[in-house]
Amino acid sequence: MSTLALRWVHRNLFAKPFDAALSLVIIPLLAWAAYAFAHWALIDAHWQVVGGSFKVLMTGIYPADQLWRAWVSVAILCAMFGAGLGLSLRPGRTALASVGLVGILIAAAVAAAIDLHSGMLTAASAVIGIAAWIGAYRPAANQRIVMSGLLAGVVAIFVVLSPPGFEVWGGLLLSVVLTIAVSILTLPFGILLALGRQSRIASLRVISTAYIETMRSVPLILVVYWIWIIVPLLAPDTSVPGLLRGMAGFALFFAAYVAEYVRSGLQAVPRGQIEAARSLAMSSWTLNVDIVLPQALRVVVPSLVGQILDIFNGATLVFIIGLTDFLRAGQMILADPQNSSRTYEIYVFLFAVYLAIGGAITYASRRLEAHLARGSR
């Protein structure tokens, strides 16, 4: 062990008597837990249940003869992720090699779990994402073009996936699409609420404040269920798919939190800039769009990215309105008597996927925060 490593161990694990005692207890327990898990995962576990149920986990009950639509959507999602990555991370050699290695590993896993054709499609989607990353990154990047492309990507996904019907959407694809769509929908609504809460018009300020505080005072599951049952009462002759009603519930709920994030950003804008703009007879629209909002959003972008993780984790609640999200798909597999004894394998796989996606969102949030911090210096 190198001197540097020994110094790190001494400083972080055995610096004081209490630290040494705690390390002597925790480290053996962690080592034992890691060994027990590795022994189960490599020898005792039957991962065939994951490979045999991969289609259900990824797309739920989406028709098998329409899966090409799901693959097109995956390619669009990879392109959107790559373009979003290009906003904050330079595609250097190390970063490209790391992302490429992750793509190869995922493609190999898919090929081993399903077939070679699916593995090749996964690899092609990864290549599209990397190409979008390289194409989107430019020093003075046209970020408005990228944002418009992200919005167009969401619309394209809905156009591609919708022909078989919204009710057959499911699995991880449903959770990801719902997360992205809700994240985009909440932004303009939240901005309007934040501006309304600070408006000089009393009625607008009271309505915006009442809405925000009401949504923040009730649980998400209640809002989703309420929207799901109230729409048929308001429009009895119109059939609105449960997926759209669920998205509306999520968007209405999380828009209140976006409004609070944006309001904190608005308060961070120097008051002198606003007064100077008003002294120049700028209209409220010009003042907010050209001066206030760009600075306010720049401050709260890391928080908004972090909220995407909350939306993704909260997507599991759509099961109450009959949708088959990623977690519900895993429970459907376990409901089959043939797979009832494979609980650990299914839930470990679900945990690993949620952890990987959550870690990616957290990493992106930190990179974006660091990127914006460099830009503000």
Side-chain angles (χ1 to χ4, degrees):
M1 187 178 292
S2 66
T3 304
L4 185 62
L6 287 174
R7 188 176 302 170
W8 184 92
V9 170
H10 174 72
R11 183 186 304 148
N12 293 278
L13 301 179
F14 298 98
K16 298 178 181 178
F18 180 76
D19 295 341
L22 196 62
S23 299
L24 291 175
V25 174
I26 298 298
I27 293 176
L29 286 176
L30 291 177
W32 171 79
Y35 171 77
F37 177 77
H39 183 275
W40 170 81
L42 299 176
I43 298 177
D44 297 334
H46 294 77
W47 296 109
Q48 297 87 344
V49 65
V50 175
S53 309
F54 206 72
K55 186 264 174 186
V56 177
L57 288 169
M58 295 297 108
T59 62
I61 58 174
Y62 204 78
D65 60 342
Q66 299 290 321
L67 283 182
W68 65 269
R69 298 179 181 276
W71 281 113
V72 172
S73 301
V74 170
I76 296 173
L77 286 172
C78 288
M80 294 170 61
F81 180 76
L85 206 59
L87 296 177
S88 59
L89 184 62
R90 186 174 68 87
R93 292 182 179 179
T94 304
L96 283 173
S98 301
V99 174
L101 179 61
V102 172
I104 292 173
L105 292 176
I106 295 176
V110 172
I114 307 177
D115 53 34
L116 181 61
H117 182 253
S118 300
M120 293 178 64
L121 289 174
T122 304
S125 299
V127 171
I128 292 173
I130 293 175
W133 179 16
I134 297 174
Y137 182 80
R138 288 291 182 274
N142 296 322
Q143 298 191 357
R144 292 183 180 179
I145 297 178
V146 173
M147 295 305 295
S148 301
L150 295 178
L151 182 60
V154 174
V155 175
I157 290 174
F158 272 79
V159 171
V160 171
L161 288 177
S162 58
F166 290 106
E167 66 279 0
V168 297
W169 293 24
L172 182 62
L173 186 62
L174 169 64
S175 299
V176 173
V177 172
L178 185 143
T179 299
I180 295 175
V182 171
S183 300
I184 293 176
L185 289 173
T186 54
L187 184 58
F189 192 25
I191 291 174
L192 291 176
L193 286 171
L195 294 176
R197 187 162 186 172
Q198 291 198 330
S199 173
R200 296 180 178 180
I201 305 174
S203 59
L204 189 59
R205 186 171 63 250
V206 170
I207 292 174
S208 299
T209 302
Y211 178 86
I212 293 171
E213 296 304 327
T214 300
M215 286 297 169
R216 295 182 66 201
S217 302
V218 296
L220 171 61
I221 189 171
L222 180 61
V223 176
V224 173
Y225 195 67
W226 181 75
I227 295 296
W228 187 68
I229 63 174
I230 201 71
V231 170
L233 295 178
L234 297 177
D237 298 329
T238 304
S239 177
V240 181
L243 174 62
L244 299 183
R245 282 182 276 170
M247 284 185 177
F250 271 73
L252 293 173
F253 179 83
F254 282 105
Y257 289 86
V258 171
E260 287 301 278
Y261 290 140
V262 175
R263 189 168 70 91
S264 66
L266 294 175
Q267 293 176 344
V269 177
R271 191 69 184 172
Q273 295 187 18
I274 300 175
E275 293 175 352
R278 284 177 177 159
S279 67
L280 296 175
M282 282 189 176
S283 65
S284 298
W285 173 264
T286 304
L287 171 63
N288 287 320
V289 173
D290 293 340
I291 297 178
V292 177
L293 279 179
Q295 298 183 70
L297 292 179
R298 188 184 186 89
V299 173
V300 301
V301 160
S303 300
L304 296 178
V305 175
Q307 183 174 266
I308 297 176
L309 183 59
D310 296 334
I311 298 174
F312 179 71
N313 291 332
T316 55
L317 295 178
V318 297
F319 80 93
I320 65 168
I321 56 176
L323 299 178
T324 308
D325 71 295
F326 188 44
L327 180 60
R328 181 60 178 165
Q331 294 173 337
M332 285 175 54
I333 295 170
L334 294 175
D336 187 340
Q338 293 182 346
N339 302 323
S340 59
S341 61
R342 302 295 170 230
T343 304
Y344 295 130
E345 287 85 348
I346 292 295
Y347 278 105
V348 167
F349 178 75
L350 296 176
F351 177 84
V353 172
Y354 274 113
L355 181 63
I357 295 177
I361 295 175
T362 302
Y363 176 75
S365 175
R366 290 181 177 177
R367 289 295 308 178
L368 191 57
E369 186 175 2
H371 176 75
L372 294 175
R374 285 197 301 270
S376 63
R377 286 200 289 266

